[in-house]
Amino acid sequence: MAFGFSYVGLIYLIMLMLPNLLWTKNQPKNYEKYAGNEKKILVFLERTGEVLVSCLVLIFSDFNIKPWSPWSWWLLLSFLLMVCYELYWVRYFRSEKTMGDFYSSFLGLPVAGATLPVAAFFLLAVYGRNPALMAAVILLGIGHIGIHLMHRKEVVGE
């Protein structure tokens, strides 16, 4: 693991944050009703993972583009997942913005708004061979995907 600025990490964080900033003005109908029901342990894991991932992805140069090797496929696949994440958001912003739209699947992946970026950051950690980011992404995934699955279950149950 090599300390140093990661421009790839910055690009990923921008791809992650921009749609989320737009989302704050386009939240699904009745979102507040569900947000209050989140399990505290999942929220703790999600927040801890968010902070760790955001920091780690910037302070290790392991994630920057290197000469082509078989490991480069991990970066390419990771980036494709981030592109799919952006497409998921395009679909959401064009929808009626219901809870069902927000917690929907995309390309067969359940709760795509949570699954796609978590998978992308995990594959970025594989590409960079960075166990610290892998561990942080696992914490994030448990919390973030867990919360999204819980909400989806509540929405489907209505």
Side-chain angles (χ1 to χ4, degrees), residues 15-77:
M15 292 176 78
L16 184 71
M17 299 289 183
L18 283 178
N20 281 280
L21 289 173
L22 292 172
W23 174 80
T24 61
K25 300 289 185 200
N26 294 279
Q27 291 183 1
K29 298 170 185 100
N30 301 321
Y31 178 75
E32 302 81 30
K33 171 183 158 186
Y34 295 92
N37 299 336
E38 295 170 353
K39 293 182 179 179
K40 290 183 184 355
I41 185 66
L42 292 178
V43 172
F44 173 78
L45 291 172
E46 178 188 45
R47 299 293 186 265
T48 302
E50 286 171 345
V51 170
L52 290 172
V53 168
S54 297
C55 293
L56 294 172
V57 80
L58 292 175
I59 66 169
F60 288 107
S61 59
D62 304 325
F63 314 117
N64 291 335
I65 297 173
K66 304 170 189 86
W68 184 263
S69 76
W71 284 96
S72 301
W73 289 108
W74 293 110
L75 178 62
L76 183 62
L77 183 56

Side-chain angles (χ1 to χ4, degrees), residues 121-147:
F121 277 89
F122 187 82
L123 294 179
L124 184 63
V126 171
Y127 166 74
R129 297 175 223 159
N130 190 299
L133 183 61
M134 285 181 193
V137 171
I138 289 169
L139 289 178
L140 172 63
I142 292 168
H144 195 53
I145 295 170
I147 289 169

